[in-house]
Amino acid sequence: MGAVDSTGEVRDGVRETRGGGPRLRFAPSPTGYLHVGSARAALYNWLVARREGGRLVLRIEDTDAARGREEWVEGILDVLSWLGLDWDEGPYRQSTRTERYREVAEQLFRSGAAYYCDCTREAVDERAKAAGRPPGYDRWCRTRGLGPGPDRALRFAVPLEGETTVADRIRGEVTFSNAQLDDFALLRSNGAPLFLLCNVVDDADEAITDVVRGEDHLPNTPKYQLLWEAIGARPLPRFAHLPMLVNERRQKLSKRRDPVRVEDYRAEGYLPEAMCNYLALLGWGPENDQEVLELDELVAQFSLERVNHAPAFFDPVKLRHFNGVWIRRLDPATFRARCEPFLRAAPWPADAFDAAAFTRLAPAVQERVGTLSEVVGMVSFLFEEPLQMEEAAWAKLARAPETPAILVAARASYADVAWEAEPLHAATAAIADAAGLKLRQAQAPIRLAVTGRLVGPPLFDALEALGRARALERLDRAIERAATA
Ligand code: GLU
């Protein structure tokens, strides 16, 4: 029995590829966002498929209809595309295959591998309590011979004896005693198919040869194997369970406590290259310890055999560092193009954006930012009118005794210096000398006057990009304010 006949044909509109390399799948449940752990699973599946000339199937495990909303599915597809992870088949949706799951469930019942159960949860709990057993189903209906009917769940009859061994490519052999596994439900009492049934039927129908997924699924795998055997499909897939991701306190990542949403990183201006590079290193490393790797280098070097089974520390600080490295690797035009969506969404009027001014300053900015969203703050002084001043910094600097004189001297000197970074630098150094200050001290009030902030790109690049007229105007305004402070 089963969906796959002896020639390897797959039914139900699921496409078949004969021969060739391994068939992998990424099977997210749409929950509203893509977790970094799921993204890593997607990446590892993709890397194996690409490296070994296999096929990657995308499957949406959306049987939990109330939770799996359409825009969430769109969101997952969108983030995967952004990461650069394409798929060869799908997305297949479990929500369209209910009849198929029921058909397999029915066959399992007829062959005696599954049985109907009319126990309510309360009844199960009460019996456990009365017997002083831990909560869980006690196989009450296993020998009652119930047929299908309303309010009857279908349960899988797990063998009462023996062991099931999962041969995991990362963890080695993991053996489970069958007696410890519960008679898990395949269909809910309302007839809805449940996770393991759908997961196994799909892997069989989609002719999956390699299951690469998070370690949180390892306890499901002995049940998966028993069910697979009962369905009598093709040879069992190989398994690789990926190490858990933990935070700096070695706790499993939690969506409430830790920054785990890939979408948020994207919105903050992380590069997909940096994301993939960093995710690849969570549990895996190349033989030569090279850290910065392009996608095609990852494809060339990746292997599941080198994946570690110890939990992997997901370190947002390190991810940010990688992002900076990747930002600096972009060629100037690509950097500017990647900044564009962030600049377009920025808080100045659309017609205030001046591409030439941005182009002038972009190289200095590219050297300094950790994320693309930081670019906005670094260049906003070019496009804001009036300038937004960091008022607290201004209040403090305006009280410093040397400030008015520095601003006045800069105003005078900048009026006829050649308007380029180098001469501006020399002119400002002369002002600092004359005032007996370090260059850095003299720069602070000038920077604040013309950019509104205390940190940003190098002052002389900033001045050059801003242009003489606007710089002088801003100095005048600051001199006025300092006089009345
Ligand atoms: N849908 C499951 C999840 O999102 C994945 C199941 C699997 O990979 O086998 O956790």
Side-chain angles (χ1 to χ4, degrees), residues 25 27-29 61 195 199 213 217:
R25 86 299 199 272
S29 308
E61 301 211 321
F195 168 71
N199 192 247
R213 60 182 179 180
H217 284 292

Side-chain angles (χ1 to χ4, degrees), residues 6 8 14 20 49 88 107 118 135 142 147 150 197 227 234 252 259 267 318 340-341 385 390 415 421 423 440 463 478:
S6 54
V14 174
D88 307 300
Q107 291 171 41
D118 65 359
R142 185 159 163 145
L197 176 65
L227 186 52
R234 52 177 70 221
K252 185 171 184 280
K318 187 148 187 208
E340 235 188 86
E385 211 58 73
E390 273 175 6
R440 190 172 43 78
L463 285 166

Side-chain angles (χ1 to χ4, degrees), residues 109-411:
F109 170 66
R110 276 196 265 112
S111 71
Y115 61 92
Y116 282 96
C117 164
D118 65 359
C119 296
T120 60
R121 181 181 299 261
E122 292 72 34
V124 172
D125 289 348
E126 260 169 43
R127 285 200 300 269
K129 213 157 134 200
R133 277 189 285 101
Y137 184 64
D138 54 1
R139 306 189 161 109
W140 185 265
C141 295
R142 185 159 163 145
T143 51
R144 288 177 64 208
L146 293 179
D151 298 325
R152 289 182 183 176
L154 184 71
R155 290 183 178 274
F156 184 73
V158 170
L160 300 175
E161 288 166 3
E163 292 177 330
T164 300
T165 296
V166 177
D168 191 84
R169 292 169 78 184
I170 295 167
R171 312 191 62 90
E173 291 197 344
V174 188
T175 297
F176 297 81
S177 155
N178 292 338
Q180 302 297 317
L181 306 173
D182 61 320
D183 281 359
F184 54 97
L186 302 171
L187 299 178
R188 256 190 243 283
S189 56
N190 66 5
L194 283 159
F195 168 71
L196 269 157
L197 176 65
C198 305
N199 192 247
V200 168
V201 169
D202 282 359
D203 281 351
D205 285 1
E206 291 159 12
I208 298 303
T209 60
D210 290 86
V211 170
V212 178
R213 60 182 179 180
E215 193 188 273
D216 48 330
H217 284 292
L218 185 59
N220 288 327
T221 308
K223 300 177 188 173
Y224 177 117
Q225 292 190 177
L226 292 167
L227 186 52
W228 183 281
E229 230 170 80
I231 290 176
R234 52 177 70 221
L236 191 68
R238 298 195 294 175
F239 290 95
H241 286 94
L242 307 175
M244 220 165 54
L245 300 187
V246 294
N247 66 16
E248 76 285 357
R249 296 165 67 191
R250 314 301 289 170
Q251 297 161 314
K252 185 171 184 280
L253 289 188
S254 129
K255 68 176 175 209
R256 264 172 294 281
R257 188 180 48 216
D258 304 301
V260 297
R261 301 164 56 111
V262 178
E263 286 87 340
D264 291 346
Y265 289 102
R266 178 186 185 179
E268 260 188 68
Y270 281 73
L271 304 186
E273 295 92 330
M275 220 54 219
C276 285
N277 189 167
Y278 184 64
L279 289 175
L281 298 177
L282 294 175
W284 172 84
E287 272 171 52
N288 59 8
D289 288 338
Q290 185 188 346
E291 281 222 305
V292 179
L293 294 139
E294 313 251 359
L295 261 188
D296 55 359
E297 291 174 301
L298 289 171
V299 170
Q301 301 198 36
F302 187 79
S303 81
L304 285 172
E305 277 60 40
R306 286 186 59 81
V307 174
N308 201 315
H309 61 75
F313 173 28
F314 175 76
D315 182 357
V317 175
K318 187 148 187 208
L319 171 55
R320 195 186 153 79
H321 164 77
F322 264 90
N323 201 52
V325 169
W326 274 96
I327 285 178
R328 287 179 259 305
R329 283 168 67 107
L330 298 176
D331 68 70
T334 307
F335 172 70
R336 293 196 302 272
R338 298 279 186 103
C339 290
E340 235 188 86
F342 295 87
L343 297 173
R344 252 194 269 119
W348 51 74
D351 62 352
F353 181 70
D354 173 352
F358 177 59
T359 300
R360 168 64 194 82
L361 200 54
V365 171
Q366 187 175 359
E367 283 307 309
R368 284 167 178 77
V369 287
T371 66
L372 295 177
S373 62
E374 277 174 30
V375 172
V376 174
M378 284 218 173
V379 302
S380 59
F381 73 95
L382 289 174
F383 314 119
E384 276 170 6
E385 211 58 73
L387 181 67
Q388 299 286 311
M389 181 67 79
E390 273 175 6
E391 289 299 338
W394 172 258
K396 204 164 148 213
L397 258 185
R399 275 199 307 272
E402 69 276 11
T403 293
I406 294 288
L407 294 176
V408 167
R411 170 67 177 87

